[in-house]
Amino acid sequence: MTTPYEAAAATYRPILDKIAERAVEAERTRTLPHEQIGWLREAGFGAARIPVELGGDGLSWPEYSRLLTELAAADSNVLQALRGHIALVEDQLFHHPGQDRSRWISRFVAGQIAGNAWTEPGAGGVSTTLDDGPAGLTVTGRKYYTTGSIYADWIDVTARGADGTDLTLIVAAGADGVTTTDDWDGFGQRLTGSGTTVFDQAPVEPDAVFTFAGRFPYQTALYQHVHLITLAGIARAAARDAADEVRARTRTFGHGNGPRVRQDPQVLQVVGEIEATSFAAEAVVQHVAGSLEAAFASRGAGAEEQRAVSERAELATAQGQVVLSASVPRAATAIFDGLGASATSTTKALDRHWRNARTVATHNPAIYKARIVGDWAVNGAAPPTVWSIGVQPVGGEADSVTTGNTTAPSALQRS
């Protein structure tokens, strides 16, 4: 019997193969993957998580994570560019049908995708505002780390209302007053479109305004999970490329251990360690995916149960981040131990695996995640589920508001 995952994967794999074929050249020339994301849009990839009865593939989080890992292995930039979309779809599904989100779900089923615009440059805080004037609702502000927005139909935006309420808005990416610039200058994940988006009195539909307090409670865990999937995909790609390069290599060192590199036990050990890292990374992803599935299943439960399962998901992603943030960059570096100087050729772009993994691993520092996990293990302390980035007041907390059971800072970490 064909599973939903197998059916979806069979549909999308020809596209993933084409994306993988373009990945090295796109990396070398810094060509943004507009075409590749267009292929996914047309195929309905953005609706893979949406239930079948609503027009999607109906994948569970473990199944969806397997599919996203395949995409990340093809090109980790493309997966990260869809991160904001993945979270916004989850928010709509979590609240539907208790709150009618069918309009947004239908748009996603039709192939429309979303980007992200939460973090603001500078000292922190939210200066982006939602205003209600003669022209109706408009949003004005400047955002950075707007991952995926340059490819998107809609942008998920945080803003502050006139009464000081923290809000999320869904803004049309092509609306007047919206400008997205590809000025992300990181040395890795260079094609994610994580640059600046400026909103200058951009129109906002009345039904596209939501309170931040009403977001699905495990959103931070989900955002971090996508990073874990990206790392797992990079590890799979590194393992694939290491094996392919060793298999094809004819030159060998005179002081090596075999007539061919593919027969050298020390080189085989290197490849085996990279492969094992890929295996472990995907195992971590599947474990965390199970915690997200449990969090989604709690949407009809009480606030206390939702809080408990969301905390478990947050802890799972934190533990995964501590491990994969170290192991995947290390595995991506080991390629060069097995292949030598010829592996540094820019035509191969094998360095992209380390650069991309190291860049993903910097988001929401793993050192803090290790402390949070340790505090939970020793003292039973609950993990923070939302945090801020910016200048912190001396002797006080960051600019924040209380939303439900958690303190939600008004400036949220990009990830």
Side-chain angles (χ1 to χ4, degrees):
M1 180 178 178
T2 301
T3 67
Y5 169 72
E6 290 167 342
T11 298
Y12 300 123
R13 275 180 185 146
I15 299 172
L16 302 185
D17 289 342
K18 287 203 300 180
I19 290 173
E21 290 170 3
R22 297 279 190 91
V24 171
E25 184 63 18
E27 182 75 27
R28 290 178 61 246
T29 59
R30 206 181 192 282
T31 302
L32 295 180
H34 288 282
E35 187 176 19
Q36 292 89 323
I37 290 176
W39 297 336
L40 295 171
R41 177 191 281 111
E42 292 170 8
F45 189 91
R49 174 93 176 100
I50 294 173
V52 173
E53 60 270 21
L54 296 178
D57 294 308
L59 299 187
S60 67
W61 264 108
E63 293 167 331
Y64 193 31
S65 298
R66 289 177 66 189
L67 183 64
L68 294 178
T69 301
E70 292 198 39
L71 174 58
D75 189 332
S76 63
N77 291 278
V78 177
L79 183 273
Q80 189 173 341
L82 295 176
R83 187 164 169 269
H85 175 83
I86 293 165
L88 186 57
V89 169
E90 189 75 5
D91 190 47
Q92 304 308 309
L93 293 179
F94 184 84
H95 291 98
H96 186 80
Q99 301 172 20
D100 184 10
R101 303 294 180 92
S102 55
R103 184 181 182 190
W104 293 104
I105 291 171
S106 296
R107 285 170 168 166
F108 299 143
V109 168
Q112 297 180 23
I113 63 171
N116 172 275
W118 281 27
T119 300
E120 298 190 6
V126 169
S127 60
T128 300
T129 58
L130 178 68
D131 302 304
D132 191 357
L137 295 176
T138 61
V139 60
T140 298
R142 184 182 186 89
K143 300 285 189 177
Y144 192 54
Y145 295 127
T146 60
T147 302
S149 292
I150 203 167
Y151 311 110
D153 302 287
W154 301 94
I155 306 177
D156 185 14
V157 185
T158 53
R160 184 159 286 176
D163 62 355
T165 301
D166 277 14
L167 305 169
T168 61
L169 321 173
I170 307 176
V171 181
D176 291 340
V178 179
T179 304
T180 299
T181 305
D182 179 35
D183 56 351
W184 163 242
D185 65 351
F187 62 66
Q189 295 295 95
R190 297 184 298 176
L191 310 180
T192 59
S194 298
T196 299
T197 298
V198 176
F199 302 92
D200 183 7
Q201 296 184 327
V204 181
E205 298 177 6
D207 72 342
V209 179
F210 309 92
T211 62
F212 181 82
R215 292 281 289 199
F216 67 106
Y218 52 96
Q219 64 175 341
T220 306
L222 183 148
Y223 279 120
Q224 301 315 304
H225 181 56
V226 178
H227 280 328
L228 296 177
I229 294 171
T230 303
L231 286 168
I234 292 170
R236 182 189 288 195
R240 175 200 66 212
D241 289 353
D244 288 347
E245 290 290 331
V246 167
R247 190 181 303 113
R249 190 172 174 86
T250 57
R251 284 161 45 89
T252 189
F253 288 97
H255 57 304
N257 301 294
R260 295 287 184 270
V261 176
R262 64 186 299 168
Q263 298 167 324
D264 189 315
Q266 284 187 282
V267 174
L268 294 177
Q269 177 181 344
V270 170
V271 175
E273 289 172 349
I274 298 171
E275 184 68 39
T277 298
S278 172
F279 173 83
E282 294 189 39
V284 167
V285 162
Q286 283 299 299
H287 181 87
V288 176
S291 71
L292 288 180
E293 187 69 12
F296 179 76
S298 74
R299 60 185 176 151
E304 184 62 24
E305 181 177 340
Q306 287 188 16
R307 181 195 61 77
V309 294
S310 296
E311 286 182 358
R312 286 196 289 272
E314 183 68 32
L315 283 165
T317 60
Q319 292 174 89
Q321 187 178 351
V322 171
V323 174
L324 299 193
S325 292
S327 63
V328 176
R330 185 168 59 245
T333 300
I335 290 176
F336 303 98
D337 295 329
L339 295 174
S342 63
T344 66
S345 169
T346 57
T347 61
K348 298 178 185 295
L350 293 174
D351 62 304
R352 77 188 190 279
H353 298 314
W354 180 86
R355 288 187 292 100
N356 291 340
R358 184 64 265 174
T359 299
V360 173
T362 63
H363 300 322
N364 312 321
I367 57 171
Y368 298 147
K369 294 304 179 76
R371 173 186 54 79
I372 289 165
V373 171
D375 200 10
W376 164 75
V378 175
N379 301 310
T385 55
V386 185
W387 53 89
S388 68
I389 183 168
V391 176
Q392 306 295 315
V394 176
E397 296 295 327
D399 178 24
S400 62
V401 293
T402 300
T403 60
N405 293 322
T406 185
T407 299
S410 58
L412 301 177
Q413 170 83 351
R414 174 246 188 168
S415 4

